[in-house]
Amino acid sequence: MAAGAVLAVTVVAGTAVYLADAPTAQRTTDAANALDEGALPTALAGPVGSSAATSATPPPAASPSGKPSTSAGPTGAAKPVAKGGWISVDPAAWKAQADAYKAMKTDPVPAGVGNLPEFRADCQYSHRRPDDPIVAPGLPGASHMHSFVGNKGVDADTVAEDLMMFTASTCKPAQDHSAYWVPTLYDNATGKPVETTGFRVYYRSLRNNSSGQMPMPNGMRMISGDAKKKVPTPRGASGQFYCAHYGPGDLDGIARSTNGNWPICGGNATLHFMMQFPDCWDGKHLDSPNHKAHVAYGSNEGCPSSHPVRIPAITFDIQYGVKGTPAGYYLSSDKEGKSASSMHGDAFVMWDVRTMNKQTKNCILQRKTCDNDSYDG
């Protein structure tokens, strides 16, 4: 971190955006090592955010706008880059959010509200790019193809403050400015992409209690799954696509693809996938070198001492409007394996802080079911 650099928090439309030394956020130059989520070595992990970050190279100079540049600025001059690791939360901004959350009163619960401790954002497909602003920041085209939902302005150069500057989104509620993405699914017979037809993001409790529940900090980056995993996904395997619709049905499908890795759905069912993110945070970092080490899974007894802050557990519930075929599918993260084992998801969290606090307190802390806006009654 450059001498005299300080942690910064930007407030846009009343929303705290946690940035750690934002003008000197750094990029990695090693595109080859940036291709697989969760696979980067410590020295090649993306933006550095604070004095807590490890870096063997001094940070680059800021661009005139204050936003880090990835390759060339307005004049076409190449920008310096550096290797990084951890991104630290701004402690003052996080304390302000936590204090406001603790002081916030819960809203009265109307009759008929369920007892599932969760709220959600319902999203639609936005765009497709071979970019990943978490794993390969500032390196357009360095990733396998991703299908993005939520914030419409996301590309390889996106940093935390951009998510509040460009708020057009395919998600409801409008107060969710986050970006979510998964590897693109392709039809094995035609080679054409199969995009999501529904993408629900739950923020929920995974436990039988909500002891110590806190909201999610803005700027949090997380990855669930393993893009490098290349194993078969036969009937009954964990981490596979399944068949679902409103009503009874066979989650494993009525048949399988020729290679056995993909279900073929009957009746009104279509392909779905669900993935779960951790629910405990170290309270210090918005990202880590492998994009997983700053978060962990807790238990009904609480969170581990290394990750003491209980946060809402993000869950992706993804629908594809296809029924499956004998030829099956492949993911952009595993073009040769033709299985579902490399399915993974990225979350770059950015909410209106008051909305995040209110939904967490009303829905998760009180253990009541909420929809996009409020209680689901």
Side-chain angles (χ1 to χ4, degrees):
M1 186 170 181
V6 296
L7 295 173
V9 58
T10 298
V11 179
V12 183
T15 298
V17 181
Y18 301 134
L19 307 173
D21 192 26
T24 56
Q26 301 171 24
R27 312 296 194 195
T28 175
T29 57
D30 196 330
N33 282 311
L35 296 178
D36 292 301
E37 280 79 346
L40 292 184
T42 300
L44 299 174
V48 169
S50 77
S51 57
T54 56
S55 176
T57 308
S63 67
S65 67
K67 179 180 175 181
S69 179
T70 61
S71 56
T75 63
K79 297 293 181 181
V81 292
K83 299 173 183 179
W86 299 85
I87 297 179
S88 292
V89 69
D90 182 290
W94 170 241
K95 182 178 185 302
Q97 180 181 359
D99 288 348
Y101 170 77
K102 292 172 183 176
M104 180 177 281
K105 297 184 182 300
T106 55
D107 292 332
V109 182
V113 171
N115 294 320
L116 295 175
E118 64 188 27
F119 61 95
R120 66 178 187 254
D122 283 307
C123 309
Q124 296 294 326
Y125 168 73
S126 172
H127 59 283
R128 186 169 59 246
R129 287 179 182 273
D131 293 351
D132 192 321
I134 292 179
V135 173
L139 296 172
S143 176
H144 49 254
M145 192 64 73
H146 282 114
S147 296
F148 292 83
V149 306
N151 197 297
K152 293 182 178 180
V154 174
D155 58 21
D157 294 327
T158 297
V159 293
E161 70 247 28
D162 295 334
L163 296 176
M164 281 307 302
M165 295 171 70
F166 307 106
T167 58
S169 177
T170 65
C171 290
K172 294 180 180 181
Q175 293 86 353
D176 181 8
H177 309 297
S178 307
Y180 312 104
W181 60 94
V182 295
T184 301
L185 182 69
Y186 289 88
D187 187 302
N188 200 35
T190 66
K192 293 182 178 180
V194 178
E195 295 300 353
T196 62
T197 53
F199 200 115
R200 177 168 287 180
V201 183
Y202 289 101
Y203 288 76
R204 56 177 28 152
S205 170
L206 304 179
R207 314 303 165 193
N208 63 13
N209 66 82
S210 294
S211 176
Q213 183 68 54
M214 294 297 290
M216 186 82 76
N218 268 345
M220 178 74 82
R221 301 135 167 97
M222 287 189 286
I223 290 176
S224 176
D226 183 356
K228 281 194 163 185
K229 190 174 183 179
K230 307 291 192 296
V231 298
T233 50
R235 182 184 291 270
S238 61
Q240 65 166 305
F241 282 69
Y242 62 95
C243 297
H245 62 96
Y246 295 106
D250 182 3
L251 294 180
D252 282 333
I254 58 174
R256 304 292 290 183
S257 60
T258 302
N259 64 15
N261 290 318
W262 305 88
I264 298 175
C265 305
N268 296 320
T270 59
L271 285 185
H272 284 243
F273 195 93
M274 185 171 285
M275 68 179 68
Q276 183 65 66
F277 290 75
D279 59 344
C280 295
W281 173 44
D282 68 5
K284 301 175 182 179
H285 301 101
L286 300 175
D287 200 3
S288 51
N290 65 359
H291 317 293
K292 296 181 178 182
H294 59 303
V295 290
Y297 291 95
S299 68
N300 288 329
E301 285 68 47
C303 289
S305 60
S306 58
H307 297 76
V309 183
R310 175 159 283 175
I311 55 174
I314 292 176
T315 303
F316 286 177
D317 186 355
I318 311 168
Q319 177 183 14
Y320 295 85
V322 293
K323 302 182 70 62
T325 69
Y329 303 89
Y330 68 89
L331 291 164
S332 59
S333 49
D334 184 15
K335 295 180 181 179
E336 301 303 322
K338 309 292 192 298
S339 79
S341 62
S342 69
M343 184 63 167
H344 56 283
D346 299 56
F348 198 159
V349 177
M350 184 63 63
W351 281 70
D352 170 81
V353 168
R354 187 176 185 279
T355 303
M356 168 59 69
N357 281 1
K358 185 175 182 179
Q359 290 288 78
T360 302
K361 194 148 201 178
N362 281 348
C363 314
I364 302 180
L365 188 66
Q366 283 199 117
R367 302 190 70 79
K368 298 298 180 183
T369 308
C370 295
D371 57 19
N372 302 137
D373 300 307
S374 60
Y375 296 117
D376 191 2

